[in-house]
Amino acid sequence: FFRPPKYTGITLSLLSIFVLVSMLAVWEKMAQTPKLPSLQILAWNPTELPLERVRKIYQKEARCILTVQYQSQSQILQSIESSKISLISNWDVIISPNSKDIHELLSVEDWSSRGVIAYRKEKLGASSKIDESNQSTELIAFVKKSSDENALGYSFIRYLQAPTKGQVEFGLDGWTG
């Protein structure tokens, strides 16, 4: 006489679904998300519009996280002075207008000047005369040498200085390269 199988199609299907769900649960726990590098940037207020556009694009291309804090020029100088006192700086990159004060504060061996990113011509009124005192403002960048992410900082500054990358975004807001 013939005996029917103990486990039929429905039972086997449910068993296989249970096994697959269990395997997926274990696989999710084992899979680790990669830790993205993070870059802390201190920047001058007037650069906010172009830097935010560049930041969004660069984060996608370089697979990193950029955190930018915007301050006025005087606040940047105060922040640098206060961080020198505590000997700990939170920033990997500083983007500031060129001045004698900033060079004196960052002339220590821990900061590397990466040159000019862009130039900004101040808006002139209709009655303004053209003279030598109406110079353009240089936007310069410094990268912290001792930072764990200094290679990413150098890469970001090169990206800002590239004619087909960062300079395009600065040009949209009236900056020149």
Side-chain angles (χ1 to χ4, degrees):
F1 104 96
F2 178 72
R3 196 167 199 219
K6 188 174 182 180
Y7 300 107
T8 59
I10 293 175
T11 307
L12 289 176
S13 295
L14 291 174
L15 184 63
S16 63
I17 288 173
F18 174 76
V19 169
L20 284 173
V21 169
S22 300
M23 287 174 58
L24 285 173
V26 170
W27 189 21
E28 270 187 24
K29 288 182 181 177
M30 290 177 56
Q32 293 183 2
T33 57
K35 185 180 179 222
L36 295 176
S38 177
L39 193 63
Q40 304 295 322
I41 301 169
L42 178 63
W44 187 36
N45 281 341
T47 64
E48 186 170 358
L49 290 175
L51 269 183
E52 281 302 307
R53 289 193 302 264
V54 171
R55 181 186 66 81
K56 290 175 185 172
I57 297 167
Y58 187 78
Q59 284 183 150
K60 290 178 185 172
E61 285 188 21
R63 296 184 48 91
C64 64
I65 298 169
L66 301 181
T67 306
V68 185
Q69 180 181 355
Y70 298 98
Q71 295 181 353
S72 67
Q73 185 174 5
S74 60
Q75 289 174 323
I76 290 174
L77 293 172
Q78 289 173 353
S79 296
I80 294 169
E81 286 175 352
S82 65
S83 68
K84 279 185 110 175
I85 293 169
S86 66
L87 297 174
I88 299 172
S89 176
N90 300 331
W91 308 290
D92 303 307
V93 175
I94 296 177
I95 298 173
S96 169
N98 194 4
S99 71
K100 183 180 176 185
D101 295 332
I102 193 114
H103 279 286
E104 287 176 2
L105 286 172
L106 297 177
S107 64
V108 294
E109 297 172 10
D110 197 29
W111 290 94
S112 171
S113 175
R114 302 314 303 164
V116 177
I117 295 173
Y119 298 89
R120 179 180 182 208
K121 196 74 163 174
E122 298 300 322
K123 304 269 192 247
L124 296 175
S127 63
S128 296
K129 294 180 181 177
I130 299 174
D131 60 3
E132 290 182 18
S133 65
N134 188 18
Q135 299 286 330
S136 59
T137 304
E138 292 180 339
L139 185 65
I140 57 172
F142 292 89
V143 176
K144 188 175 183 182
K145 293 179 188 176
S146 65
S147 167
D148 294 337
E149 304 297 340
N150 66 358
L152 183 61
Y154 291 127
S155 173
F156 180 63
I157 299 305
R158 281 193 302 273
Y159 189 89
L160 290 176
Q161 293 170 333
T164 59
K165 304 286 185 178
Q167 292 298 305
V168 173
E169 301 300 330
F170 277 98
L172 292 174
D173 289 323
W175 295 77
T176 56

